[in-house]
Amino acid sequence: MDLEVRSTIPQFGARRRYLRVPSQAGHHPVTRHEVAITLHFADDSVALSALARAQLTGLERLIQVDRLTKVAITGYASSTGSVAGNERLGIRRAVSAEQYIVALLARLHVKGVHLSVAGKGASSFAVKNPKSGLNRRDVIQAS
């Protein structure tokens, strides 16, 4: 039987999910941890806000505590601007978060974490209004 428990870590804006994976012949069940964080950006910006930096610092702590090894960062844009420009902006936002995470992990000598980066531009909107600032974001999933 799978066990799923979701909790929110308010100070970092992270959602943590625990999944119990059924045991295989003679092995104990394994609990897998997943963390999701959303960072928001100013219009046409890749600069991380103070809140975003705090969220990433919290993620770094969760990586250490939960021994997370995979971090996927996806950057998005609102619909303002050109399609090509929004695609580049989404990638640049994801790279901005990646660079910050890499610096945090290096400072603490944390190894064995695989980071992947993708940019989706102005697609998969977080809210119905495609021009909303809530669509200017990075979605970070770690497991």
Side-chain angles (χ1 to χ4, degrees), residues 43-117:
D43 190 28
D44 200 32
S45 175
V46 298
L48 296 170
S49 67
L51 175 60
R53 290 190 303 272
Q55 288 176 291
L56 293 175
T57 300
L59 174 64
E60 168 266 322
R61 290 182 192 141
L62 293 173
I63 287 171
Q64 287 184 302
V65 171
D66 292 346
R67 300 184 194 278
L68 305 176
T69 59
K70 296 178 185 174
V71 178
I73 308 163
T74 307
Y76 297 89
S78 63
S79 67
T80 59
S82 69
V83 172
N86 285 333
E87 288 176 3
R88 285 191 303 272
L89 186 57
I91 291 170
R92 289 176 48 222
R93 285 179 172 153
V95 168
S96 177
E98 177 196 36
Q99 290 173 341
Y100 194 83
I101 293 168
V102 166
L104 285 173
L105 296 176
R107 185 188 68 191
L108 296 170
H109 309 287
V110 176
K111 296 180 181 178
V113 179
H114 173 74
L115 290 103
S116 63
V117 174

Side-chain angles (χ1 to χ4, degrees), residues 115-132:
L115 290 103
S116 63
V117 174
K120 299 284 186 175
S123 66
S124 302
F125 297 118
V127 295
K128 287 184 179 181
N129 179 356
K131 294 184 179 186
S132 171

